[in-house]
Every structure is written in structure tokens, then in C-alpha cells.
Amino acid sequence: MSVWALGINHHTAPLDLRGRFAFALDQIQPTLHGYRQSLARQPEATLLSTCNRTELYGAGDQSAVEPTLDWLASMGGVSPHVLRDHAYILREDQAARHAFRVASGLDSMVLGEAQILGQMKDAVRAADEAGALGTTLHQLFQRSFAVAKQVRTSTEIGAHSISMTAAAVRLAGQLFEDLKDIKVLFVGAGEMIELAATHFAAKTPKAMAIANRTLERGENLASRFGAQVMRLADIPDRLHEFDAVVSCTASTLPIIGLGAVERALKRRKHRPMFMVDLAVPRDIEIEVKGLDDVFLYTVDDLASVVQTGRDNRQAAVAQAEAIIDAGVLSFMHWLEQRDPAKGVVPLIQQINAQADAWRAAELARAKKLLARGEPVEAVLEALSKGLTQKMLHGTLAELHAGDAETRAATAQTVSRLFLREKS
């Protein structure tokens, strides 16, 4: 049984390529089912997809890795060669270390951020419900969650970190003299928009509005911040009203197009607009970035802002890496025990099988003696002696074999196994 991780992230692939491989949470189950059905031997599998990464973790035969890359490339509509140029394939302890680092927030754009842990748990739950999560990956992820908890409670990895949404507020403050004078539109009603609304609300802007595909969900979020609610279809007609726009939906196509923004700017008499697109794939067409009066930022554009304070957390990173190293060693030890070529489990099974064979042989002999009318006490005595001789034969033979040094080492082992005091 081998484990591996195959994926792309913000370190290896540009935003538009990552957008091709974005999967909403409700797509994970059918996607995993299709992936496993595409292979002759179905591996355990878990699919993690966020704005910064898409990763497929597997456990099974290593020969499944290359077909997995081909399958993932086809899902994104690119050639395997293109995907291979931007992907990483990690195996065994490197795959485990990567999973632990991701869960702990060490591989995130925002160092130490906690949101990824919840996203991983959602992905694992979806894999389990899809029937794709076996014993090996279950162990891998449960251990990764435990390591992440230890990192978060034992180190200051999350201290002074700046989230994407906090970075957006900071950038908006650099553009506008006073955020109390602006109107903000939030497109979507998910976790990222909720965080963004929380950060902007703390600056008490003049007005806020939530645009969402489902009005009910938009209303639930808007009620918390005293914001207006509107439909996505209303955005083109009302976009000019807002000085700042923050968008993060699960749409596979842009929500806000170039034409809509151009018309909004015209109605605003070209007063500047601040726009943040936190979605992958994009919610706002990339051409909008070329407009003179629009300041558009994507998740990748915010990278330099969220790095602030990273140097102050390097000591915590070192502590976290040590915790992760210990977790990796523990997981690999568990995995090796399950490996017929390396582990002790097969040896234990062989010892039990041998003991059962000896027991069965002596029991059969005892039954024959009883059938011939031999005294019960004599039969039991013979049974116990027979079992004892069989079980000690190999040990006693080793004590008499080899040179003096070998016999001394064997004697120590035998003493430890047979003569130790009960604890």
C-alpha cells in the first residue's frame, strides 16, 4: 500500500490554470466516483479543491499515479504535458508531510490560516460519503488533523497573520481617504464573503449590499450587517452605485463582465472603483484589470500583502515543522507495519498460524489417546509436554547454535521474552 498526492497550487500554477481544476464541494462525490471508475484497480482517493489548490490524495498501487494525472488533465481540458509542467507528485513520507503542512496552514498563501483545515475536513467527509476513503487515507487525514491542532495550540503560527479579506480592506483604505464614505457590494454569500463583510463592516462604510443567486441565503447574511440584498441579475444595472466590489462565488463563468464595468464607470463619471475577485475560477473578467479607473485584485495579487509579518512567525514555523516531522514518522511507522514486505503484522500472523497448527496437532493426538482408553490425566500431561516442546524447540536450538557472542545475544533476547517479570 502506497500513498501519494498529486496537485497544483498557488506556488506552481497561475490562477487561470487553477480555475480549470476547481471543484465545488457538491461536485467532489461524483468526481471521485468517476475517477475511481476510470481505473481498473480503484485506489482510495480524496479530492481537495480550494481557491489556492486542487489536490488528489490516493492510496493503493503506485501504478495508478500516471493514469491519475491523465484523468485530471482531461477534467481540466488541458493536455497531460501542460498539467505535468505545473503539477507536483509526492509519494510516501513526502505526501504525508505535504498533507500535514497543508492542514496546519504552512502551505497556505496566508501562513498559519485556519480556514484550510475546515476545507480539508469537508473534503475528507465527502470522500467518505462517496465510499472512496479507506483505512490508509482515513489514518493519514485523522493524523493530519491531530497534527494541525497541536501546531495551532503549541505554536504562534497564526499570530499576526493577515487574511485575504483583511488585506482587501487594507488595500481599499489606501485607495479611498475614508472607508466610511464608500458603498460596498459583496457578490456571493459563502464563508469568504462573510469574512470580507465582517472586516468591511468594522470600518462602518456608508452602505453595504449582498448580491447572491439565492435571495434567502443572501438575506440571512445581510441581516447580520444591516446590508441590502439584491439578485445577481441586478448587478449590471446597479454596479455604478458601489465604490468597492468583493466577489467570491462558485460560478464556473464570470459574474461581472467588461461591458458591465465600462457602463458602470461611465455612469460614475469615471470615479475609481476598487474590485477584489477572490473566486477561482474568476468572477470578474480579466480584461477589467486593463481599465484605467478600476483597481482589480485577485487572490494572487493579494499575496504580497498577506506576507506582512511572515518573518515574525519563522520561529513558530520551525516549531510547527518539528511537530509535523514527528507526525510523519509516526504515520510511516503505522504504514510500514501494514506492508507485507516491511511490517511485523505478517510475522505476527505467521506466529499465530504456527501456534494454531501445533495446538491442532497435539489436540488430535490427545483425542486418539483418549479414544484408545488412555487415562485422562496421562493424556493431559502428554498434551502439555507436547505443546511445550514444540514451542521451545527453536529457542533452545538457537541457544546452542553459533559462537559465544551470538549465543550471548540470543540469551539476552530469550530472557527478555520468556523470563521478564510481569508488570
Side-chain angles (χ1 to χ4, degrees):
M1 178 68 69
S2 298
V3 294
W4 70 85
L6 185 158
I8 56 174
N9 63 19
H10 58 287
H11 298 301
T12 68
L15 187 150
D16 287 324
L17 183 62
R18 298 202 307 273
R20 287 179 168 271
F21 297 94
F23 298 92
L25 186 59
D26 60 3
Q27 294 178 302
I28 290 181
Q29 286 192 48
T31 300
L32 282 177
H33 180 73
Y35 159 63
R36 299 178 79 225
Q37 289 295 317
S38 72
L39 301 177
R41 301 178 65 179
Q42 297 185 1
E44 299 179 27
T46 301
L47 180 62
L48 172 64
S49 183
T50 73
C51 60
N52 287 332
R53 70 185 67 248
T54 293
E55 298 175 338
L56 204 154
Y57 293 85
D61 195 323
Q62 282 281 5
S63 63
V65 176
E66 285 300 319
T68 297
L69 188 142
D70 293 341
W71 170 86
L72 189 59
S74 68
M75 292 295 292
V78 302
S79 70
H81 175 74
V82 169
L83 178 58
R84 188 174 282 105
D85 285 345
H86 295 276
Y88 42 88
I89 299 175
L90 306 170
R91 295 177 170 86
E92 307 300 1
D93 60 327
Q94 292 302 314
R97 177 171 283 101
H98 182 74
F100 292 177
R101 295 186 84 254
V102 170
S104 302
L106 267 67
D107 196 59
S108 296
M109 187 177 290
V110 182
L111 181 64
E113 59 97 4
Q115 187 180 9
I116 184 62
L117 182 58
Q119 293 169 325
M120 275 188 95
K121 289 182 177 180
D122 288 341
V124 171
R125 190 177 301 111
D128 191 23
E129 291 171 354
L133 189 72
T135 302
T136 301
L137 287 189
H138 175 78
Q139 276 288 325
L140 174 67
F141 287 111
Q142 291 308 310
R143 288 167 183 260
S144 73
F145 300 155
V147 164
K149 180 178 180 181
Q150 187 178 356
V151 166
R152 198 155 300 281
T153 56
S154 303
T155 75
E156 295 186 358
I157 193 67
H160 313 299
S161 63
I162 302 174
S163 68
M164 289 286 184
T165 51
V169 175
R170 177 175 293 189
L171 287 171
Q174 294 174 5
L175 178 62
F176 301 107
E177 290 186 9
D178 193 340
L179 295 185
K180 292 181 180 180
D181 296 329
I182 70 170
K183 295 182 179 181
V184 187
L185 171 64
F186 301 98
V187 183
E191 185 177 358
M192 287 295 285
I193 291 299
E194 182 177 354
L195 289 171
T198 300
H199 282 287
F200 271 97
K203 301 297 182 180
T204 61
K206 183 185 296 184
M208 297 197 303
I210 307 288
N212 194 53
R213 194 177 307 278
T214 306
L215 271 184
E216 181 180 357
R217 188 172 180 183
E219 288 170 349
N220 290 338
L221 183 58
S223 64
R224 293 178 48 192
F225 301 103
Q228 304 173 28
V229 183
M230 54 190 280
R231 297 182 184 276
L232 293 182
D234 297 330
I235 292 178
D237 293 331
R238 296 191 56 188
L239 189 59
H240 66 281
E241 300 175 20
F242 302 96
D243 306 289
V245 178
V246 181
S247 186
C248 187
T249 74
S251 175
T252 57
L253 296 173
I255 300 291
I256 301 175
L258 175 64
V261 179
E262 287 177 327
R263 290 190 295 274
L265 285 173
K266 187 175 181 180
R267 295 182 69 177
R268 290 172 58 83
K269 298 181 180 178
H270 292 274
R271 284 183 292 116
M273 291 183 71
F274 173 77
M275 306 185 81
V276 178
D277 188 352
L278 298 174
V280 179
R282 298 175 186 268
D283 275 348
I284 303 173
E285 286 187 344
I286 189 172
E287 291 80 8
V288 171
K289 201 176 186 73
L291 297 176
D292 291 337
D293 300 302
V294 173
F295 297 84
L296 172 61
Y297 296 89
T298 66
V299 287
D300 288 356
D301 295 327
L302 295 175
S304 60
V305 181
V306 301
Q307 297 307 316
T308 303
R310 190 183 184 100
D311 292 343
N312 297 331
R313 299 194 296 279
Q314 288 310 304
V317 170
Q319 293 175 320
E321 295 285 12
I323 294 171
I324 288 169
D325 286 343
V328 171
L329 286 174
S330 177
F331 173 73
M332 293 308 297
H333 176 69
W334 175 86
L335 192 62
E336 287 177 359
Q337 285 185 318
R338 294 173 56 81
D339 187 339
K342 302 176 183 177
V344 298
V345 173
L347 178 60
I348 293 171
Q349 293 172 339
Q350 291 173 14
I351 292 173
N352 284 332
Q354 181 65 80
D356 283 340
W358 287 334
R359 181 185 61 81
E362 289 303 317
L363 189 59
R365 181 169 172 268
K367 288 179 178 179
K368 288 182 180 179
L369 291 174
L370 288 173
R372 289 207 304 260
E374 295 289 339
V376 173
E377 187 173 336
V379 172
L380 291 175
E381 184 73 17
L383 173 65
S384 63
K385 283 186 177 180
L387 276 175
T388 301
Q389 289 173 353
K390 282 181 168 61
M391 292 182 176
L392 293 180
H393 174 73
T395 301
L396 296 175
E398 287 296 318
L399 285 171
H400 290 93
D403 55 28
E405 185 177 349
T406 301
R407 289 197 300 272
T410 302
Q412 289 182 352
T413 301
V414 170
S415 297
R416 188 171 67 252
L417 293 175
F418 290 96
L419 302 180
R420 65 181 177 180
E421 296 181 1
K422 292 182 179 179
S423 57

